């Protein structure tokens, strides 16, 4: 009995994958850009001055209150607590990392859209849409 071998026929047309690949757009190279800062960072002295100007409270009364509030916020974040402080927004701690002289926290801040129209509750009272 003689052995017969079958040979695979070479395809005369290109495969479907090659046809689809030839129709795809060329790859686009995306370059990363640095974020644009709109203003320099806000220092505590500037914050105190802005609060005094906006509220009309004397600086000697505003400074201890602001420093106490900042201390409480820092302690709360160190404990891993989320903050929900309108109009600042909701601050959520994503992860923390201890380095030589500090604790680095990666947070996510979700601010409400202040331009959104107010929503009217069932009793006729106007409330924020995010509440």
């Amino acid at each position: 009995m003689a052995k017969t071998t079958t040979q695979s026929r070479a395809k005369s047309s290109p495969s479907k994958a090659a046809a689809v690949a030839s129709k795809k757009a060329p790859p686009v190279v995306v370059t990363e850009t640095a974020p644009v800062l709109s203003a320099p960072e806000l220092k505590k002295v500037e914050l105190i001055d802005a609060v005094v100007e906006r509220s009309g409270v004397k600086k000697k009364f505003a400074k201890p209150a602001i420093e106490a509030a900042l201390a409480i916020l820092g302690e709360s974040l160190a404990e891993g607590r989320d903050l929900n402080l309108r109009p600042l927004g909701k601050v959520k701690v994503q992860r923390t990392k201890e380095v030589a002289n500090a604790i680095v926290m990666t947070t996510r801040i979700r601010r409400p859209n202040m331009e959104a129209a107010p929503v009217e509750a069932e009793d006729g009272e106007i409330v924020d849409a995010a509440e």
Side-chain angles (χ1 to χ4, degrees):
M1 202 164 181
K3 267 188 170 178
T4 59
T5 60
T6 57
Q7 298 177 355
S8 61
R9 291 183 4 191
K11 294 183 181 180
S12 59
S13 64
S15 68
K16 289 182 182 180
V20 170
S22 65
K23 292 181 183 179
K24 288 184 180 178
V28 178
V29 177
V30 178
T31 58
E32 194 170 315
T33 59
V36 178
L37 298 176
S38 60
E41 66 181 20
L42 179 67
K43 302 282 186 170
K44 185 167 57 169
V45 173
E46 294 174 82
L47 175 64
I48 292 169
D49 292 341
V51 169
V52 167
E53 183 180 323
R54 188 175 290 187
S55 68
V57 176
K58 291 186 177 184
K59 189 172 184 176
K60 69 178 184 179
F61 298 124
K63 185 176 178 180
I66 292 168
E67 288 178 342
L70 291 173
I72 291 169
L73 294 174
E75 292 166 4
S76 297
L77 288 172
E79 293 171 1
R81 294 181 66 183
D82 294 342
L83 308 176
N84 193 357
L85 305 169
R86 290 186 155 267
L88 173 66
K90 186 169 186 174
V91 180
K92 182 175 177 131
V93 177
Q94 296 291 314
R95 61 183 172 267
T96 59
K97 177 182 174 183
E98 290 189 36
V99 294
N101 297 330
I103 298 174
V104 177
M105 293 183 180
T106 304
T107 61
R108 173 172 251 150
I109 300 175
R110 181 181 176 135
R111 295 202 63 213
N113 186 358
M114 302 308 266
E115 297 174 7
V119 176
E120 191 171 317
E122 293 176 9
D123 61 356
E125 183 181 339
I126 296 178
V127 295
D128 288 331
E131 287 185 12

